[in-house]
Amino acid sequence: MSQTPKTWFEQIPNWLMLSLIPVVGGLAIVYAGQKTKTKSWLILGGSITTAATILAFAPTSLNLLPMWIVQVSIAFSIKKSYLIKTYPKNLPLPGENSLATSIAQNRGKIDINLCSKHEMVYSLGLPLPYANDIEELRNSGYIFTDAEELAEIVGIPEITLARIAPLITFSYDYNKEANSSWRRVNSQTVAQLTAAGLSAKDATKIVTERERNGDYKSIIDLRRRTGIPLSAYRHLI
């Protein structure tokens, strides 16, 4: 059966069962620490194993049960963190925002302007139509600069955007996008923008704001600074 986010977090790692072994079960925590490069687990597992071994070979008869309970409790308490740290990159992100955020903290962010369609679909869990639209915009020269653009321009639902936001980043090369169609708002006159389909009022507002505070960095920057809705200049994208 193919792996899914749900079955991934429902599984019981083999090392977790090994933690049930008295005395040496602490080595299971050491293994989890090595696998995830978590120093605190390495130290904790090693300390438990050492203490249990000393107790087991002590001249007097000591009860190992409390140490065994601690050992097993710690192993089960780190299970979820272990599965988050080892979450496969080829699995879509889980729908739960807290899990998606935790996974993001343990892997490199995905650059929306450079990533492959495969990464958008399988690493971010985006439906293929959205991935196709992002790719088409990038191929036409558009560079994304803000997560909000994915909602405003591509139409990605807010709930999906909230889930992937911790996992994405945006590289930006102004020169690379200089010839993108929407960039005309940084160079054209009121008359030219009006001829391109904008109303005289919006064209005047765009040019006035540009002259006062400099070029627009993105479509979202344009909307924020002028208050003009995206629908008024969507045809420029």
Side-chain angles (χ1 to χ4, degrees):
M1 185 176 67
S2 59
Q3 191 77 265
T4 66
K6 185 174 185 293
T7 59
W8 176 260
F9 284 103
E10 288 177 346
Q11 70 174 300
I12 298 177
N14 292 332
W15 64 264
L16 191 60
M17 302 310 297
L18 295 176
S19 72
L20 299 175
I21 302 174
V23 182
V24 297
L27 293 176
I29 300 173
V30 172
Y31 170 82
Q34 289 178 327
K35 186 77 172 177
T36 60
K37 295 181 174 61
T38 307
K39 187 176 180 180
S40 60
W41 296 356
L42 286 168
I43 295 173
L44 192 55
S47 300
I48 290 173
T49 303
T50 300
T53 302
I54 292 172
L55 289 176
F57 291 96
T60 56
S61 178
L62 296 174
N63 189 355
L64 286 171
L65 181 59
M67 183 62 69
W68 179 80
I69 292 174
V70 170
Q71 169 184 299
V72 173
S73 298
I74 291 174
F76 275 82
S77 70
I78 67 173
K79 173 198 169 188
K80 185 175 181 180
S81 293
Y82 173 84
L83 293 174
I84 288 173
K85 290 173 182 286
T86 57
Y87 192 80
K89 290 188 176 182
N90 64 337
L91 274 185
L93 286 175
E96 187 179 331
N97 284 350
S98 61
L99 279 179
T101 300
S102 296
I103 291 169
Q105 294 171 349
N106 289 282
R107 61 164 64 166
K109 291 191 175 185
I110 294 174
D111 192 327
I112 288 296
N113 292 317
L114 298 175
C115 67
S116 66
K117 188 187 298 185
H118 183 277
E119 288 176 304
M120 284 189 271
V121 173
Y122 292 99
S123 295
L124 294 178
L126 285 179
L128 186 58
Y130 293 133
N132 286 335
D133 288 345
I134 291 172
E135 186 177 61
E136 183 178 351
L137 282 166
R138 291 189 320 193
N139 290 340
S140 69
Y142 189 80
I143 294 179
F144 293 91
T145 61
D146 191 287
E148 194 174 341
E149 294 179 24
L150 297 176
E152 292 280 0
I153 299 173
V154 182
I156 294 176
E158 291 294 337
I159 189 171
T160 302
L161 193 60
R163 178 173 57 81
I164 69 170
L167 290 174
I168 59 178
T169 187
F170 304 88
S171 62
Y172 183 73
D173 185 345
Y174 181 92
N175 294 324
K176 184 177 179 182
E177 198 188 22
N179 295 321
S180 182
S181 59
W182 78 269
R183 279 287 176 192
R184 72 185 75 178
V185 300
N186 283 329
S187 59
Q188 292 187 348
T189 64
V190 171
Q192 289 173 320
L193 289 174
T194 302
L198 289 174
S199 68
K201 178 181 177 182
D202 288 343
T204 301
K205 185 179 291 188
I206 288 171
V207 172
T208 301
E209 169 61 23
R210 183 186 74 206
E211 291 175 346
R212 286 177 180 170
N213 298 304
D215 288 354
Y216 300 103
K217 296 179 180 179
S218 68
I219 289 294
I220 297 301
D221 185 42
L222 171 61
R223 180 177 63 77
R224 287 172 177 167
R225 287 167 56 182
T226 63
I228 301 173
L230 177 63
S231 57
Y233 46 86
R234 183 181 292 277
H235 61 284
L236 296 180
I237 300 174

